[in-house]
Structure formats: structure tokens, C-alpha cells
Amino acid sequence: MSASRALAGNEPGRYDIAGLLAEIEGVPVTTDSQIVRRRSRDFFWYSPVLNRQLHGKAADVIVSPRDEADVVRVAAACTKRRIPITVRAGATGNYGQAVPLEGGVLLDVSGLDKTEWIKPGLVRVGAGARIHELDAELRATGYEIRMHPSTKRMATIGGFIAGGSGGVGSVTWGVLRDPGNLIAARIVTMEEEPRVIELRGRDVQAINHGYGTTGIITALELPTAPAWDWTDVIIAFDDFLEAVAFGRELAMADGIAKKLVTPMDAPITQHFGALAEYCPPGKSVIFAMIATPALESFRTLLADRGQVTYEAPFDESPGHEPLYEYTWNHTTLQWLKQDRGITYLQCLFPADRLLESVTEMREMFGDEVLYHLEFIRFGGKVTCSSLPIVRFTTEERLNEIIRLHEQHGVWIANPHVWTLEDGTRHKKADADQLGFKAGVDPYGLLNPGKMRSFVPTLS
């Protein structure tokens, strides 16, 4: 099913929904059209382009499996009737990953949230588990999740693997595709006789950042890290490039345990509400999470290059906003609370000329593009991801800004498209994912329209 057909809109009555519901009797469903429409959305409205293109797209029904056996029943019944399935849980993605372009079933896997087991350094858990709750369970054993999105308190672990790439913790552990960051996955195929498949080793990459197009993830096996007591820190600098230079030095200081190093250009922080008092006007800042035992070493490294304006024990309990909820794409959200005239991009700066590249881009765009940089390890090197604030004028200008970044060696993963290929830095589908999908979803019923390179092998 092509993306162009998907955009034509849902056709009422084209699926045998009544027959489906009769066959899966006993599995919880939601048919209320208002609820179905509301839950057929994710955070695609961050993009004015996607907000226009995906408006009104909705499933026909929500199905909420209680366990993997329910998933198998639903997959079989949908395949028999050629009804597409789009998987969702927390729906915190930003590119329409959880929007059903072709209608059909919205499969809410939030009920698959049980922890199967915890071992030192490993956890096996249902795809619908909320990351915040999983992390709390792990910390009781002395471990924690290695990395998580800034939407940790809402997001589920399956959604993070299927739609994310890195996040808080990537400054130490790299991105999800790095070896060792995803151990195994169990999936249900979309066939007339669905299979339950265990993917391990290299094979598990077939579902990594696949938008749910390459199988219905039911369980994941992930590495964990020894848990630290963390301290949230804000450091003010006179100049943004000074903040970036120190941030790079901190990111490369392997003896200082940290989970977040985010330099922010001065204008951004004035949209941060209660935290604005710790971000002096005209000053650029770094938001950081430092392991409490490493604070002395952190202060020694900092010396007199910046001023610590905020230091507090990490707290993500109800009623508190940890610093990570002002970084990554939460920076965009904090600004959007006050000004809907902005959007964002997703950049990766070159590790070998980081400061030069940041300087070049800032000079090129001025206040039209305001940068905050998330230090990460990528391909074994320390560099910066970035989700800069972009003052939106037209789609044409947005595409020109993307082109200029790429022309000057800054990789862009375009967040204003809904297809897997166009939203990657390489603009093509992973060959292994494409081939794997042919075997597990031969009719092209899993989140159709999101992998434009795929041609169904059966009809």
C-alpha cells in the first residue's frame, strides 16, 4: 500500500470490522469514534508539515491485547481479512509512527507490561512496560535502564525501541543500534498462521527503529547498568561555544559518570518557566546529570570556566520536573507551550570538526535556528546530536535549511516526514529490515505507508 494511497483517507466500511470483532471476542476493544480518533495520534503536531498532512487519519477500532496469545489471535484474524494493524502504546513519537494511515486496527499493547525476569545487567520485559516504572523496578535491584527518551515518564520500552534511536544516557552508552544495547526481541508475525519468533544477535536489528513495520514486538531483552545516585546541574557560560567546548571535554572524561550533557544557546532557556531563574539572561548553559560521587571531579574539571547556578538531587517523582525534561525534544515542547510558531530538526554534527561546524551553522542561520546540543557517543566517537529550535515560515524554507545543513556536513534525519526511509540520515530502507519484512508481513499489513520501499509479496 503506497503512501499516496494512504493520504487519500480512510474509506468507511472497506474492512470487515464486525467479522473481526466476532472472531476476537473476549479481547478488549474500543469502538467509540471520538476515543479512536484521539488515540490515533502521536506528537506529530510538533511538525507543521505533518500536522497538515496527517490531520484526520484514524483507525477503525482499538484492540487492547492482554497478553501475547491475544496478539496472535488478533494478527491471525486481521490477516485473514486483510485489515492493517498499527501498533501503539504510549504514542510519544514525533513522526506519525503510531498514526494508522490506512485505518484498520490500532493495536494498543500497553497491557503487555509484565517483567519476565531481572538478572544482574539484564532485564526481559513486555513491550508495553512504561520506562519510568521499569526503571524504578530495576533500581530496587541496584541497576537502571541504560538510556531513555526525554518522554521517559510516558513512553513504553517497545515504542522506544521501535521509534527511537538514543536519548538520556547516550553520552555514555551510544545509540540503540550500537552493539550490546539491544539483546533480543520476541515478535508476532502478520501471517494467516502467525508465528512467534525470538530474534537475537544481529537478527534483532530487524525491529530496531522499524516503526512496527517488521513485526509486532511483544517482549524485549535489554542490558542494564549499575544504578547511580544522580545530581542535576546547570552551569552558565558567557559564550555558547565555551559551553560546547566544556561539554565536549566533560563528555570525553570517561572517569566522570554522567547521563546528560546538553549545552543550550542563550535565547532558548528563557522559555523554561521556573528554571529560567537559574539561566541568567544572555548566558548560555549546560544541563547535566552527574553521578553524585563524581561531583568533586566534575567541579575540578570545570574550575572557573563556568558558574554552577543549580545543583540538586535528581528527582522525577510526581510534581517534579527533572532536567532531562528540558532536553532532547522536550526543549521543543517547553518552547511550544508559549509559542506555536516554531518547529525543530534532528541533526548529527561531525565528530572531527564539531566546534567548527557548530560555529558555521550558527553564523549561517542566526536566530532562525537556535541550537541545543546533546552529547552522545556515535560510532565510537564523541559528538553531538541536536534538535534545534527552528522558526517556521514555509515548508520550502524548512527544506532549504535541511539542504544547507547537509551541504555543510551536518547529517539530518528529517522529522517532517512519516516514512522510515525519508526520516533516516541515509534516505533508504535498511536492506535487512526490508528483506525481513517480506517474510513476516507478506501482505504489507503492518503500519502500511511507513516503509515506502516495501512491495507486498502476497495480495
Side-chain angles (χ1 to χ4, degrees), residues 208-282:
N208 199 344
H209 200 73
Y211 293 9
T213 62
T214 53
I216 302 169
I217 304 171
T218 58
L220 292 158
E221 191 173 319
L222 300 160
T224 59
W228 288 103
D229 288 328
W230 297 101
T231 297
D232 281 347
V233 180
I234 300 176
I235 315 108
F237 295 82
D238 291 332
D239 178 76
F240 181 60
L241 292 177
E242 292 176 5
V244 177
F246 175 73
R248 184 172 183 271
E249 192 173 340
L250 176 59
M252 295 180 69
D254 291 337
I256 299 175
K258 62 274 182 182
K259 207 165 189 175
L260 181 72
V261 180
T262 299
M264 297 191 180
D265 212 344
I268 293 176
T269 60
Q270 300 312 302
H271 291 262
F272 282 0
L275 284 183
E277 65 178 294
Y278 305 107
C279 306

Side-chain angles (χ1 to χ4, degrees), residues 1-6 101 210-211 213 414 417-430 433-434 437 444 446-456:
M1 298 183 190
S2 68
S4 59
R5 178 185 167 191
L101 299 178
Y211 293 9
T213 62
N414 189 352
V417 294
W418 69 81
T419 60
L420 190 63
E421 296 91 334
D422 298 308
T424 67
R425 298 181 181 94
H426 305 293
K427 310 297 186 282
K428 61 182 180 180
D430 183 284
Q433 285 186 319
L434 196 58
K437 182 175 174 65
L446 284 174
N447 211 354
K450 303 296 173 62
M451 188 185 280
R452 63 170 168 75
S453 304
F454 179 73
V455 177

Side-chain angles (χ1 to χ4, degrees), residues 114-273:
K114 303 298 186 294
T115 300
E116 294 185 27
W117 49 254
I118 295 174
K119 301 176 182 177
L122 288 171
V123 63
R124 185 148 181 124
V125 66
R130 291 194 180 274
I131 300 174
H132 178 262
E133 295 171 6
L134 172 61
D135 203 38
E137 187 176 4
L138 287 169
R139 289 186 70 85
T141 72
Y143 286 83
E144 64 182 22
I145 202 80
R146 280 188 177 182
M147 69 184 82
H148 61 79
S150 62
T151 53
K152 175 186 177 184
R153 293 202 273 194
M154 297 173 58
T156 58
I157 193 64
F160 182 42
I161 300 300
S165 59
V168 181
S170 287
V171 66
T172 297
W173 296 104
V175 296
L176 286 173
R177 277 198 171 270
D178 283 340
N181 281 333
L182 177 58
I183 306 302
R186 195 164 62 239
I187 68 165
V188 172
T189 68
M190 196 68 179
E191 301 171 279
E192 292 190 1
E193 294 186 8
R195 294 170 289 155
V196 177
I197 300 177
E198 177 90 2
L199 302 173
R200 305 192 72 88
R202 295 181 185 274
D203 293 341
V204 77
Q205 298 301 332
I207 55 88
N208 199 344
H209 200 73
Y211 293 9
T213 62
T214 53
I216 302 169
I217 304 171
T218 58
L220 292 158
E221 191 173 319
L222 300 160
T224 59
W228 288 103
D229 288 328
W230 297 101
T231 297
D232 281 347
V233 180
I234 300 176
I235 315 108
F237 295 82
D238 291 332
D239 178 76
F240 181 60
L241 292 177
E242 292 176 5
V244 177
F246 175 73
R248 184 172 183 271
E249 192 173 340
L250 176 59
M252 295 180 69
D254 291 337
I256 299 175
K258 62 274 182 182
K259 207 165 189 175
L260 181 72
V261 180
T262 299
M264 297 191 180
D265 212 344
I268 293 176
T269 60
Q270 300 312 302
H271 291 262
F272 282 0

